[in-house]
Amino acid sequence: IKTNKEKNNMLKNNMIIQMDAKQQIKKKPGLITIVYSKENSKRIVISKQITELLELESSVKVAIYGNALILSKESPQIDASFQLKEQGRKKIIYSSELVNEIRLCLPLEFDNCVSRTLYGAHFERINGEELLVVYEKEFEFEDPQLEYEEE
């Protein structure tokens, strides 16, 4: 069993920006892609890395938390469970209802594109349970339970 520190290091290593031979900046693959297509199915694509870290097989629990998604294999804190389909090494949730909810709650714009990819993630203790928090960019997670002091 990996510790949360080891899991977070694995996630961090996935998000390193690399330079190729032409000195162009390229990001490693994203962790989750949300597809909002009017002609095709609305879906969420979960990377092989997340699938392996959470040991996902046939279902996943998903919740919206602040400006992020929470994923878990079997958390009792999360009611919404979704069936997973396989596509190569990735897992897919086909749910227009979930994609519409994400579109309304997260700060993701789909005006000029049909998909948005989330690159940031870490494991966090929420209500005594370690859950995976996934967000658009590394270091852009805002905890809705934090209180900010006014200046």
Side-chain angles (χ1 to χ4, degrees):
I1 297 175
K2 290 184 176 23
T3 66
N4 285 332
K5 184 176 181 180
E6 290 171 323
K7 290 179 184 176
N8 284 336
N9 283 337
M10 289 173 67
L11 288 167
K12 184 177 178 184
N13 290 338
N14 184 62
M15 295 180 276
I16 295 172
I17 293 175
Q18 295 183 331
M19 301 291 273
D20 69 7
K22 296 180 181 179
Q23 296 298 309
Q24 294 175 339
I25 296 176
K26 292 191 174 188
K27 288 185 180 179
K28 286 191 175 184
L31 301 173
I32 290 182
T33 299
I34 299 143
V35 180
Y36 180 78
S37 172
K38 292 178 183 170
E39 285 98 36
N40 297 315
S41 61
K42 294 174 177 69
R43 60 198 177 274
I44 297 167
V45 181
I46 303 172
S47 71
K48 175 187 173 217
Q49 184 182 24
I50 298 292
T51 299
E52 290 176 354
L53 276 173
L54 293 179
E55 299 174 354
L56 298 177
E57 294 169 13
S58 61
S59 66
V60 63
K61 291 193 168 195
V62 180
I64 297 171
Y65 185 76
N67 67 340
L69 296 179
I70 303 290
L71 276 74
S72 173
K73 183 176 182 176
E74 51 196 26
S75 171
Q77 296 184 64
I78 302 172
D79 294 329
S81 181
F82 297 91
Q83 292 300 113
L84 294 170
K85 304 286 185 188
E86 285 194 43
Q87 182 181 36
R89 299 181 297 178
K90 300 174 182 179
K91 301 276 186 177
I92 300 177
I93 300 169
Y94 289 97
S95 172
S96 59
E97 184 179 320
L98 178 59
V99 171
N100 287 333
E101 186 79 15
I102 290 168
R103 187 174 163 259
L104 292 173
C105 296
L106 297 186
L108 302 174
E109 295 292 328
F110 290 93
D111 294 337
N112 299 320
C113 60
V114 295
S115 69
R116 295 300 301 258
T117 300
L118 308 181
Y119 294 94
H122 68 272
F123 282 88
E124 183 168 312
R125 182 169 291 280
I126 300 173
N127 296 328
E129 185 177 6
E130 294 297 330
L131 300 170
L132 181 64
V133 181
V134 185
Y135 36 94
E136 191 169 14
K137 296 178 185 170
E138 191 173 7
F139 309 117
E140 287 194 0
F141 171 64
E142 294 176 15
D143 189 328
Q145 295 180 357
L146 292 178
E147 294 183 16
Y148 298 96
E149 292 182 19
E150 292 186 22
E151 295 182 25

